[in-house]
Amino acid sequence: MKPVEIAKGIYSVGAIDWNIRDFHGYSTERGSSYNSYLIVDEKTVLIDAVKKGFEDQLIGHVSQIIDPQKIDIMISNHTEMDHSGGLPRIMHAIGEQKPLFCSKMGVKNLSAHFTQQWNYHGVENGETLNIGSRTLTFLETRMLHWPDSMFTYCKEDQILFSSDAFGQHYAGLETFDDVVGHTIMAHAKKYFANILMLYASKVLKLVEQVQAANLQIKTICPDHGVIWRKDPGKIIDAYVKWSRQIPEKKAIVVYDTMWRSTEKMADAIADGIFQEGVPARPIHIRSSHRSEIMTEVLDAAAIVVGSPTLNNCMFPTVSDVLTYMKGLKPQNKIGAAFGSYGWSGESVKLVQAELEAMKFQIIEPAVRIQYVPNDEGLASCIAFGRQIGQAVNRKMMNDE
Amino acid sequence: MDKYVCNICGYVYDPEAGDPDNGVKPGTAFANLPDDWVCPVCGAEKVDFSKED
Ligand SMILES: [Fe+2]
Ligand SMILES: [Fe+2]
Ligand SMILES: [Zn+2]
């Protein structure tokens, strides 16, 4: 790959990871990239390192433009290892004593990752750095998505270097949103659902602040995936929409099954929901990755969860999905539980308790069937589905 | 005195410990924190905290 010039003197020089399929438990079927940006001015600046193991790509790209030792300042917008793991080699290549700019929390957090005594410069929110013909502004964006996260903004070129925000796990040579086309939005949505959903209120506040400050943004350069140059407003609007968590008329029935009894129930419940005119889809947990499920959760109005009882507990994969979901804090959902069991049947209660802990509006009574559902049992599942579908329809009217 | 949890990042304000890095002495009840005090981890405001159960 060649470095790509984004604006005069500003280059994308990061690394592509074509083969990653598991990004800390997030399925990345299209790989990812660890973006890094070089600004050549009176002072030359490199924004963000890459993951450990990808330094050769970064240094190779930089070297096609400038001798790495000519880099005057390293900026680290985010401490997480996919953007800092390469720092030891990068700092070594540019010179260990070069200033390393990051947020105050970044100084703390980088120091907890690396033993090197780098020349840290912890910036204040709003602090500026003149590099010649350009002035960079640092914007603290704590918890979007780590305490250390910040953005770097270049006023003259109206470029926002946004760290993980607005990113997508997508490996490609296309570099820009308009080259990939609309399919990129699905990757951006998955990224939001799995990384940022729990910080939705922070996203909304940040967008308000950016609008109040009248920050002009022509291009957004995130740390993963493509650069938003055609229509940065589109991804900002999408973030606002996703952050508000106003659901669509849609239900998902997430379940696992041992001898297909809970599966039969799931299918019947989805049928019942659909009979009320609400799009519904059963999702078998071991056939779908948890991160795919979260993307569906993001805009669903109802999350129906089914688990067989295994050794007096809920099925382990259901527990996995519920733990993951709870951490991402979906808001404003209808929830319902169901499941088949052999003799004790604790799982349904346990699942419902998890949905209650997430403050979902629970549809009761949950449906529990011993062993294999017969016609009567399946009819009760359809009726339960209709009850859920009606609740979704009422919710859609109330939320409008 | 009650502990309070930040709804954004999970930081727990412990009145016994206070927040000395930001000028809050040990023994300061959550209610007595200045109005402009923010979560030392994520910058959330006081309204974003809830009492720990
Ligand atoms: Fe990150
Ligand atoms: Fe990242
Ligand atoms: Zn906090």
Side-chain angles (χ1 to χ4, degrees), chain A residues 13-20 32-36 49-61 81-82 85-86 89-90:
Chain A
V13 291
I16 296 182
D17 189 349
W18 294 104
N19 299 324
I20 188 167
S32 192
S33 69
Y34 314 114
N35 299 347
S36 182
V50 290
K51 192 164 130 179
K52 189 176 171 163
F54 292 82
E55 301 95 330
D56 285 343
Q57 281 194 53
L58 171 58
I59 293 168
H61 294 150
M81 303 266 256
D82 49 335
R89 273 199 55 206
I90 306 301

Side-chain angles (χ1 to χ4, degrees), chain A residues 255-268 284 286-287 307-308 315 338-341 369-374 378 381:
Chain A
Y255 71 96
D256 214 326
T257 191
M258 293 166 68
W259 295 106
R260 307 218 128 158
S261 292
T262 303
E263 179 169 78
K264 287 190 181 106
M265 295 177 74
D267 292 354
H284 175 231
R286 273 177 294 159
S287 310
S307 175
F315 200 70
F338 68 97
S340 147
Y341 66 101
I369 291 177
Q370 192 172 22
Y371 292 114
V372 181
N374 57 17
L378 289 176
C381 291

Side-chain angles (χ1 to χ4, degrees), chain B residues 9-53:
Chain B
C9 74
Y11 165 85
V12 179
Y13 176 76
D14 177 359
E16 309 240 319
D19 178 16
D21 285 353
N22 296 295
V24 176
K25 287 195 196 113
T28 307
F30 185 79
N32 294 334
L33 287 168
D35 287 341
D36 60 354
W37 179 84
V38 294
C39 171
V41 173
C42 76
E45 290 161 34
K46 277 179 81 179
V47 291
D48 290 322
F49 279 71
S50 28
K51 202 191 276 187
E52 192 177 59
D53 331 292

Side-chain angles (χ1 to χ4, degrees), chain A residues 22-326:
Chain A
D22 181 337
F23 187 95
H24 64 46
Y26 171 139
S27 69
T28 47
E29 61 287 338
R30 291 298 300 261
S32 192
S33 69
Y34 314 114
N35 299 347
S36 182
Y37 300 98
L38 182 76
I39 308 177
V40 181
D41 207 311
E42 276 167 42
K43 286 192 182 123
T44 295
V45 171
L46 183 64
I47 302 176
D48 287 329
V50 290
K51 192 164 130 179
K52 189 176 171 163
F54 292 82
E55 301 95 330
D56 285 343
Q57 281 194 53
L58 171 58
I59 293 168
H61 294 150
V62 170
S63 303
Q64 291 176 49
I65 302 159
I66 194 171
D67 175 355
Q69 294 196 344
K70 294 249 163 68
I71 292 173
D72 300 291
I73 294 164
M74 178 75 211
I75 295 173
S76 165
N77 278 332
H78 178 26
T79 303
E80 198 166 7
M81 303 266 256
D82 49 335
H83 313 292
S84 72
L87 271 179
R89 273 199 55 206
I90 306 301
M91 291 307 288
H92 186 74
I94 71 177
E96 301 280 356
Q97 278 317 303
K98 297 281 171 69
L100 172 48
F101 279 60
C102 57
S103 65
K104 294 246 147 71
M105 294 302 284
V107 177
K108 260 192 184 173
N109 291 353
L110 283 169
S111 306
H113 280 72
F114 303 100
T115 53
Q116 286 87 341
Q117 307 278 317
W118 285 317
N119 180 13
Y120 288 116
H121 182 95
V123 300
E124 298 285 349
N125 185 28
E127 192 173 322
T128 56
L129 168 68
N130 185 274
I131 56 168
S133 68
R134 297 179 178 87
T135 301
L136 304 179
T137 307
F138 305 106
L139 304 165
E140 259 190 3
T141 56
R142 288 195 192 186
M143 299 322 285
L144 289 177
H145 68 122
W146 273 25
D148 46 75
S149 298
M150 69 171 192
F151 292 173
T152 299
Y153 175 66
C154 174
K155 191 171 68 188
E156 290 74 11
D157 297 278
Q158 303 185 351
I159 297 180
L160 184 67
F161 300 95
S162 64
S163 183
D164 277 333
F166 311 115
Q168 334 92 44
H169 283 309
Y170 180 85
L173 295 169
E174 298 96 333
T175 311
F176 298 104
D177 54 348
D178 51 303
V179 188
V180 177
H182 70 276
T183 53
I184 199 62
M185 288 310 285
H187 298 281
K189 182 180 176 187
K190 181 173 179 181
Y191 194 90
F192 181 92
N194 285 278
I195 306 284
L196 293 163
M197 190 193 290
L198 71 163
Y199 302 121
S201 64
K202 288 243 147 193
V203 172
L204 291 174
K205 244 186 218 160
L206 178 73
V207 172
E208 262 173 40
Q209 282 166 4
V210 165
Q211 279 163 352
N214 201 18
L215 216 66
Q216 298 302 310
I217 300 172
K218 207 168 88 185
T219 310
I220 299 176
C221 294
D223 270 357
H224 300 283
V226 300
I227 292 167
W228 305 94
R229 74 169 172 193
K230 187 179 175 224
D231 190 4
K234 188 174 164 190
I235 187 65
I236 294 174
D237 290 348
Y239 264 51
V240 168
K241 181 180 151 225
W242 295 329
S243 297
R244 290 204 177 117
Q245 297 199 43
I246 296 166
E248 290 183 8
K249 185 166 152 179
K250 155 182 165 180
I252 54 172
V253 183
V254 181
Y255 71 96
D256 214 326
T257 191
M258 293 166 68
W259 295 106
R260 307 218 128 158
S261 292
T262 303
E263 179 169 78
K264 287 190 181 106
M265 295 177 74
D267 292 354
I269 291 169
D271 279 347
I273 297 171
F274 190 64
Q275 284 175 23
E276 294 296 331
V278 176
R281 196 173 123 79
I283 303 176
H284 175 231
I285 292 173
R286 273 177 294 159
S287 310
S288 319
H289 196 271
R290 68 168 86 81
S291 53
E292 290 293 337
I293 295 172
M294 275 319 294
T295 313
E296 296 294 326
V297 166
L298 176 62
D299 54 14
I303 319 293
V304 188
V305 181
S307 175
T309 296
L310 174 63
N311 304 330
N312 307 101
C313 293
M314 77 171 89
F315 200 70
T317 57
V318 179
S319 174
D320 173 310
V321 167
L322 286 172
T323 302
Y324 189 60
M325 197 188 298
K326 193 189 209 170

